[in-house]
Amino acid sequence: MTVVENVDERHLTKAIWLFPLYLLAINIFVLPITFGGLLHFPDGTVDADTFVLTLPIAEKQPWLALFAFIGGLSAATAW
């Protein structure tokens, strides 16, 4: 993505530092969700891959779980 989408060689110098920054920024939310899931489900009964959906359901917030599901579905089906 960082190489193929660039039409000019000058764009590559910007992408060299911007793409890793982008990857770091989108993963900032992983640690709070992980820690929240491990604190809420310490016995390991819930798979860690489903923390984004099971945490809102466990806290009686089904609309937030639906919102997370639709966001994940949208990201998975995007080009």
Side-chain angles (χ1 to χ4, degrees), residues 4-74:
V4 174
E5 296 293 326
N6 291 313
V7 293
D8 189 5
E9 193 172 323
R10 291 176 294 160
H11 295 160
L12 193 57
T13 59
K14 186 176 182 181
I16 285 172
W17 62 270
L18 196 58
F19 187 66
L21 186 65
Y22 164 74
L23 291 177
L24 180 67
I26 64 172
N27 284 302
I28 287 176
F29 301 103
V30 171
L31 288 176
I33 292 171
T34 302
F35 289 138
L38 291 175
L39 289 173
H40 203 280
F41 308 110
D43 52 358
T45 57
V46 175
D47 187 23
D49 291 337
T50 62
F51 281 167
V52 173
L53 296 176
T54 54
L55 280 172
I57 291 171
E59 292 298 320
K60 308 287 191 272
Q61 299 292 327
W63 60 270
L64 186 57
L66 179 65
F67 185 69
F69 178 77
I70 291 171
L73 182 66
S74 173

